[in-house]
Amino acid sequence: MVAIAHPDIASTVQPVVTSRHAAKVFESGDGIRGLQLDVPPGTILGLVGPSGSGKTTAVRLMTGVLEPTSGELEVLGVSPQSFDSATRRRIGYMPQTSVLYPNLSVWENLDFFASLYGREWRSHDALAAALEFVELMGHETKRVADISGGMRRRLSLAATLIHAPELIFLDEPTAGIDPILRRKFWDQFTSLKDEGKTLVVTTQYVGEAAYCDYVAVLADGELLMVETPDGLRRAAYGGDIIDLELTDRPDPTLIERIRVAATAADCRPVGINGLRLVVEEAAVALPSLSAWLGDNGIGITQAEEWLPPFDDVFVELVSRHRNGLEAIDG
Amino acid sequence: MGELRDAATRVLAFGRKELYAILRQPRLLVTLILGPFLILALFGLGYQQESDPLATLFVAPADSEFTAQLEQESAAFDDRIELLGTVAERTEAVDQLRTGIADVAVIVPSAPIETIRGGERAVFTVLHDQLDPFEQATISLISRTTVDLVNRRLLEELIASGQEESEDLEALLPAARESATALRIALEAGDRPAVEAQRRSLARRLDLIEQQTGSTEVLVESIREQFSSESADSSVGGSLDSLGTLIDDIDPGAIGDPLDAEIKGARQIEAELEALSEQVADFQSIPPDILVSPFGAESSVVGSVDLDITSFYAPGVIALLIQHIGITFGGLALVRERALGTSEVFRVSPVHAAQILAGKYLGYLVAIAVVAGALSLLMFGAFGVPLAGQVGSYVLVLLLLALASLGIGFVISGVVQSDTQAVNISMIVLLLSIFFSGFFLSLERLVVWVRSVSWSLPITHAIDSLRDVMFRAEPVDVRTLWSLGGASFGLFVVGLYLLQWRMRAE
C-alpha cells in the first residue's frame, strides 16, 4: 500500500517534518518503510498503530536517534543526522519509557533535564511552572522511586517541555496510565498546540486519534495513511455512515430502493429492522433521505449519522491492509 | 560565551546528578567507608607474625634414648613446637597427620651416633599434610631452624664441657711458668744443678699440661683460628711441641760456655707459656653460645619509618579501594544510562559526549574524595599509620589513581552490554590488581616479563608511590606522574571515543 500524505498537510507552508519514503529496516527485517508525510506547524500528528507497527522507529528517525536506511527526512528544515545544538534546543523528546533517575527527587530530576538545555531553564520559576503544568507541585521533594507510574509520566512530560521546545515528540505518553490522566495529558497537548507548538504523538489507544489534527495509521512497519480523524472514518468505511431503524423489516427490494435514493455506496441490514448506509456526506444525505422515506410511506423510528469508534475504524483499516497483502500474496 | 556557559552547566548537572545519586544511598556510602575500615581493622588485629605452634609427633623406637633427649630439647622451642609425644611406627604418625591431630611428624634417624661416627649426617625426616606452598615453606624453614638450634645446643654443651676441662689446664700453667722462670734464672746464674732440676721440673709439668689439653686443645685451637691472626705455627699443640724441643735444647752439660742460646730458649718458653695462658683465659671468658654463633645479624630500613604489618598494607588497601570504587562507578555509569533510556534523550538534546563524561568524572571524583578522606582519617587517626611525606603528595597520587580508575571504568562501560558484565570485569581487574600490583606479593618475586603486566596497571604505580610518600617521606616521582597522568588522559580519550561510538551506533 502506498503511503499517503494528507492533501491539507501538503498544501500548508513549510512543514516542520517532511518525510519522503524514509525507511529504517533493521537486520531482523523489522522497522518502518515508506514513511511519507508532512507535519505542519501548530498541529498534533498522531502516529497510531498496534505494537510493533513502527511508531517508535518513526519517532526515532525524526529525532535523529536512528538514521534512515533509505529515503529523505527533514525536521525543522535539516536532516536529523545534522542537528546542531540550536536545532536540538527547539526539540523536545519524551521516550516510551520514563527516563528518570529513581534516587533523585522530582525537583532534582527536572533540574537535571533543564540543565541539558542551558542555565536559563534552571530558574526556580521555570521549574515550578513546569511542575505546575503537570500538576506535580507539592511533590517536588519526593524521590522518583517513591512516586506512582502516572506521576513519573507527568514528570517525564515536564522534563520534555522544560525548555519550551517548539517541536515535541512524545512516544506513547499515555501508555499504562488511567483514563482520567490520559484525558489530562491530551488537554495539555491541546494547550501546547494552542501555544503554537507542533506535537508528534504515538499511541496505542486508537481512540486518542480523535484529539489529533492528523492521524498517521501504521501497521506492520508501513504507513497506511495520514488523515484527519473524520477522514479516517470515511477512509475506513468509504464515506459517512447513516443508521436507519425502520418500523418494518425491509426486504431486499426496499433495501436497494433506499440505497439508490440515498446515493449510498453501500446499504446493508443491521439487526431485524435496521439498515446501515455508507454515504458521501451524512449531513447532506440524511435530510434528503428522511424526506424520501416520508414521501414513500416508509416508517422509521430512527435516522442518524453513526460515528464508529476509532477502534473499529482502526481494525477496519488494518484488516483491509492485511487482506490486501494476503490477496497480493495469494 | 553562552555556549561555554551552557557546557559548564551541563557538566555540573551531570556531576551533581551522580553525586546526589550516591549520597541518596547511605548504605552504599557506609559500605564503601566502613567495609574497608573493618577489613583493615580485622587484618591488623588478627594477623600474627608467627604461626601457631606445630603439633609435632616424634617417630622413634620406644627404647631410643635419643628420643627422650629430643623431647627434652624440643621443650626449648615451645613457641614453635607443641609436642604431642612419640610413636613407634611411621604409619601411626601418618594417620595422625591425615586426621589433622598432628601437623608435623619428625622421624628420628635410627642409630644417629653410629651414623655421625661414620662421617655422615643423621637426618631427621619431617612429614606433614600441608597443601599450601607457603605453609610447606614455613614447615621446611622451621624444621631447618630447629635442627640448627639442636646442633648449636650440642656444640654449646661441648664447648661448655671444654671450658670446664680447661680450668685444670689453667691451674697447671702458672706452675709451669714458675718453672720456666726458675730455669731461666738458673741458666743466667750458671747454676748447673739448678738448671738440671728446673729443666726436669718444667718437662714434667709440660707433660701434665699436654695430657690435660685433649679436647680442650681442639676447641682452643678452633677459637684461636677464628679470632686470631696468628700463624698456624703458634697453635697450642705447636707451642707444646716447640716447648719440648726448647727444653731438649737446653743442655745442662754446657754450663760454663756462653749460655746466650739457652737463656734465649728459656725466655721463649716463658713467652710461649704466657701466650698459652692468655689463649686459655680467652677461651674461658667467651660464653659458649657466642663461641658457637659468634656472628649475629640485624637489619634496618634506610630512610623509612618503622612499620607494622597493618601500616605496610594500608597504602595498598586504600589504593585498591579507590581503584575498585572508581572502576565500579565508571563501569556502571554508562551502562545504567543506557538501561534507563536516558542515553536516547541525551542524543536528542544539545549535550555532547565529552560533557557527559566530564560531568560524571566530576561527580564521582567528589564521591571518591569523600570516601578517601574518611578512610584516610580513620587510617591515620585510628590505626596510627604513618604519613612521613607531604599531604599534598599523598592527595595527588590518590587523585591521579582515581582519575585513571574512573577511566578504566568508563572504557569497560563503553564495551559491555550489561551491568553484570561491567561488575564481572571490575572484579577481574580487582583480582589482577591484588596479585600483580605489589599489594601483597613483592614485584621482585615475579618474572621480568610479568612485571610489565604489573607496571601496566595504574594501581602498581600508585601503591609504589604511596609507600614512598607515606613511609620514606619522598615526593611523588616523575615516573608516577607520567604513568598515572598519561593513563588517566589516555583512558579518558578512549572512554570518550567509545561513548561517542555508542551514542551513534545505538
Side-chain angles (χ1 to χ4, degrees):
Chain A
M1 182 173 284
V2 178
I4 302 161
H6 191 269
D8 290 351
I9 300 177
S11 64
T12 55
V13 291
Q14 192 57 44
V16 179
V17 178
T18 304
S19 177
R20 295 290 173 263
H21 304 290
K24 173 69 184 178
V25 182
F26 299 103
E27 286 180 6
S28 63
D30 296 334
I32 184 133
R33 298 169 182 80
L35 194 61
Q36 175 97 347
L37 53 79
D38 296 299
V39 182
T43 59
I44 299 177
L45 170 72
L47 298 177
V48 182
S51 181
S53 60
K55 302 185 297 293
T56 297
T57 304
V59 168
R60 285 177 170 169
L61 282 173
M62 292 181 223
T63 52
V65 173
L66 294 175
E67 191 172 355
T69 45
S70 63
E72 290 177 7
L73 183 64
E74 280 193 357
V75 175
L76 297 171
V78 291
S79 162
Q81 298 304 309
S82 308
F83 281 162
D84 58 12
S85 291
T87 308
R88 291 176 192 277
R89 283 194 182 86
R90 296 166 66 193
I91 295 172
Y93 174 43
M94 178 175 169
Q96 202 168 6
T97 53
S98 292
V99 287
L100 299 166
Y101 297 101
N103 286 316
L104 267 58
S105 70
V106 167
W107 185 272
E108 287 160 355
N109 264 286
L110 193 57
D111 181 41
F112 171 75
F113 286 104
S115 301
L116 300 182
Y117 293 92
R119 202 174 70 173
E120 68 268 30
W121 304 108
R122 289 189 61 217
S123 73
H124 184 277
D125 289 348
L127 298 181
L131 287 182
E132 197 73 61
F133 183 70
V134 294
E135 300 178 12
L136 278 179
M137 277 306 281
H139 302 282
E140 55 268 34
T141 58
K142 289 181 182 170
R143 281 194 337 150
V144 162
D146 299 330
I147 62 175
S148 68
M151 290 167 82
R152 286 182 203 179
R153 292 307 280 166
R154 277 145 67 194
L155 180 57
S156 286
L157 180 62
T160 306
L161 304 176
I162 187 66
H163 60 292
E166 62 189 84
L167 174 59
I168 303 162
F169 294 96
L170 305 170
D171 194 0
E172 303 209 10
T174 56
I177 59 176
D178 64 79
I180 295 172
L181 188 57
R182 288 211 319 255
R183 180 58 193 260
K184 280 186 178 175
F185 264 49
W186 279 103
D187 287 346
Q188 285 161 341
F189 300 159
T190 306
S191 147
L192 289 166
K193 184 192 80 168
D194 294 343
E195 291 173 17
K197 318 281 189 193
T198 307
L199 292 91
V200 176
V201 186
T202 73
T203 180
Q204 285 187 49
Y205 300 111
V206 179
E208 291 179 347
Y211 302 116
C212 302
D213 296 305
Y214 300 101
V215 180
V217 179
L218 293 98
D220 306 322
E222 286 188 29
L223 176 64
L224 305 189
M225 64 179 58
V226 180
E227 267 293 355
T228 60
D230 287 340
L232 213 57
R233 284 194 182 96
R234 279 196 295 273
Y237 293 96
D240 289 345
I241 295 170
I242 294 173
D243 274 355
L244 285 181
E245 191 70 24
L246 305 178
T247 51
D248 300 310
R249 183 173 188 161
D251 58 28
T253 309
L254 180 59
I255 292 172
E256 180 56 17
R257 285 178 60 205
I258 290 173
R259 187 192 72 75
V260 171
T263 59
D266 187 27
C267 180
R268 62 183 66 177
V270 176
I272 298 171
N273 296 338
L275 287 176
R276 179 162 291 168
L277 295 89
V278 178
V279 298
E280 183 71 23
E281 198 169 343
V284 176
L286 195 55
S288 63
L289 179 60
S290 297
W292 183 84
L293 290 169
D295 292 346
N296 289 276
I298 301 167
I300 57 171
T301 58
Q302 191 178 336
E304 61 180 8
E305 183 181 1
W306 179 66
L307 293 175
F310 276 105
D311 285 351
D312 293 350
V313 171
F314 178 75
V315 169
E316 180 70 24
L317 288 170
V318 173
S319 300
R320 198 188 296 169
H321 164 70
R322 288 179 177 164
N323 292 338
L325 286 179
E326 283 172 11
I328 292 167
D329 290 345
Chain B
M1 189 66 188
E3 190 60 40
L4 201 63
R5 191 194 61 188
D6 286 348
T9 302
R10 289 179 200 122
V11 169
L12 289 173
F14 275 98
R16 204 167 38 239
K17 187 258 290 183
E18 299 301 349
L19 194 58
Y20 286 171
I22 293 167
L23 293 175
R24 294 285 152 71
Q25 302 174 72
R27 278 185 220 165
L28 173 67
L29 278 179
V30 169
T31 310
L32 289 177
I33 296 170
L34 272 187
F37 175 77
L38 291 176
I39 290 169
L40 198 60
L42 195 63
F43 182 70
L45 293 171
Y47 184 83
Q48 48 189 17
Q49 300 272 16
E50 301 288 345
S51 52
D52 288 339
L54 295 169
T56 304
L57 268 179
F58 284 116
V59 182
D63 57 349
S64 169
E65 291 178 6
F66 200 56
T67 308
Q69 190 184 342
L70 266 177
E71 289 183 358
Q72 193 182 346
E73 292 292 344
S74 62
F77 311 116
D78 59 355
D79 57 332
R80 300 180 188 188
I81 293 173
E82 180 196 347
L83 193 59
L84 296 179
T86 303
V87 296
E89 297 298 328
R90 178 190 171 111
T91 51
E92 194 179 344
V94 171
D95 285 345
Q96 293 206 30
L97 285 173
R98 286 191 175 146
T99 53
I101 296 170
D103 296 320
V104 170
V106 180
I107 301 174
V108 176
S110 58
I113 304 300
E114 287 75 6
T115 307
I116 295 166
R117 279 184 180 153
E120 291 181 10
R121 281 205 180 93
V123 177
F124 291 86
T125 305
V126 179
L127 304 177
H128 61 81
D129 194 29
Q130 288 288 341
L131 296 177
D132 184 341
F134 288 101
E135 289 300 323
Q136 289 179 1
T138 304
I139 287 173
S140 176
L141 183 65
I142 289 176
S143 302
R144 281 203 307 273
T145 312
T146 307
V147 168
D148 283 348
L149 286 171
V150 169
N151 287 338
R152 265 174 53 187
R153 178 146 314 194
L154 288 172
L155 273 177
E156 283 174 22
E157 284 178 3
L158 191 63
I159 286 174
S161 165
Q163 284 178 327
E164 274 180 28
E165 286 178 18
S166 70
E167 286 174 7
D168 296 337
L169 179 64
E170 192 181 27
L172 292 171
L173 281 169
R177 284 167 60 192
E178 282 174 15
S179 293
T181 304
L183 176 62
R184 176 180 50 81
I185 292 168
L187 282 168
E188 285 171 349
D191 183 350
R192 184 179 169 180
V195 169
E196 179 57 29
Q198 292 305 328
R199 197 181 74 86
R200 275 203 297 272
S201 167
L202 180 58
R204 198 168 52 248
R205 282 173 174 165
L206 286 177
D207 283 345
L208 281 172
I209 288 171
E210 197 164 8
Q211 286 166 20
Q212 278 296 325
T213 49
S215 61
T216 307
E217 180 194 341
V218 176
L219 291 169
V220 171
E221 193 62 28
S222 65
I223 303 308
R224 190 195 56 73
E225 281 180 8
Q226 284 187 38
F227 300 109
S228 169
S229 59
E230 292 172 38
S231 68
D233 292 343
S234 61
S235 66
V236 175
S239 295
L240 291 173
D241 289 346
S242 67
L243 285 173
T245 307
L246 286 168
I247 291 169
D248 291 343
D249 288 346
I250 296 171
D251 180 7
I255 298 296
D257 296 335
L259 292 173
D260 293 350
E262 283 76 8
I263 290 168
K264 189 179 174 187
R267 283 190 178 137
Q268 193 175 344
I269 291 171
E270 280 184 280
E272 293 281 353
L273 286 170
E274 177 71 28
L276 191 57
S277 293
E278 284 175 8
Q279 283 181 23
V280 171
D282 282 350
F283 175 60
Q284 286 184 328
S285 67
I286 303 174
D289 60 321
I290 301 297
L291 288 172
V292 170
S293 301
F295 296 105
E298 287 178 1
S299 63
S300 63
V301 186
V302 177
S304 169
V305 292
D306 286 336
L307 292 177
D308 58 19
I309 199 79
T310 309
S311 297
F312 174 73
Y313 282 112
V317 169
I318 197 161
L320 268 181
L321 180 78
I322 285 177
Q323 179 192 264
H324 190 58
I325 295 174
I327 291 178
T328 308
F329 279 167
L332 292 175
L334 302 175
V335 178
R336 290 206 168 146
E337 296 283 9
R338 288 201 295 272
L340 269 175
T342 42
S343 297
E344 205 168 303
V345 176
F346 300 155
R347 290 169 69 181
V348 181
S349 76
V351 71
H352 296 288
Q355 294 161 359
I356 296 174
L357 210 54
K360 285 180 180 288
Y361 264 97
L362 183 67
Y364 292 143
L365 273 181
V366 174
I368 290 172
V370 170
V371 174
L375 274 177
S376 298
L377 285 176
L378 286 171
M379 192 171 75
F380 297 126
F383 287 108
V385 174
L387 176 58
Q390 293 185 336
V391 176
S393 299
Y394 173 79
V395 171
L396 179 62
V397 176
L398 292 187
L399 175 69
L400 289 172
L401 175 65
L403 283 169
S405 304
L406 284 169
I408 295 172
F410 286 124
V411 170
I412 292 172
S413 207
V415 295
V416 298
Q417 298 294 336
S418 66
D419 53 0
T420 310
Q421 287 179 6
V423 169
N424 285 344
I425 295 179
S426 300
M427 292 308 294
I428 288 170
V429 176
L430 180 65
L431 273 179
L432 193 70
S433 304
I434 288 173
F435 283 108
F436 294 101
S437 66
F439 169 58
F440 80 90
L441 275 180
S442 171
L443 297 185
E444 280 70 30
R445 289 186 177 274
L446 301 173
V447 295
V448 173
W449 68 269
V450 174
R451 283 184 216 170
S452 59
V453 175
S454 294
W455 289 110
S456 69
L457 299 170
I459 192 171
T460 308
H461 299 270
I463 290 177
D464 187 51
S465 189
L466 280 176
R467 284 177 180 157
D468 284 346
V469 169
M470 290 169 67
F471 305 143
R472 299 182 199 274
E474 290 179 2
V476 185
D477 61 32
V478 176
R479 189 192 67 183
T480 304
L481 289 175
W482 275 106
S483 304
L484 288 178
S488 302
F489 178 75
L491 288 163
F492 177 85
V493 171
V494 175
L496 180 60
Y497 170 79
L498 288 171
L499 178 58
Q500 286 173 328
W501 170 69
R502 281 279 191 177
M503 288 178 79
R504 278 196 307 269
E506 287 178 351

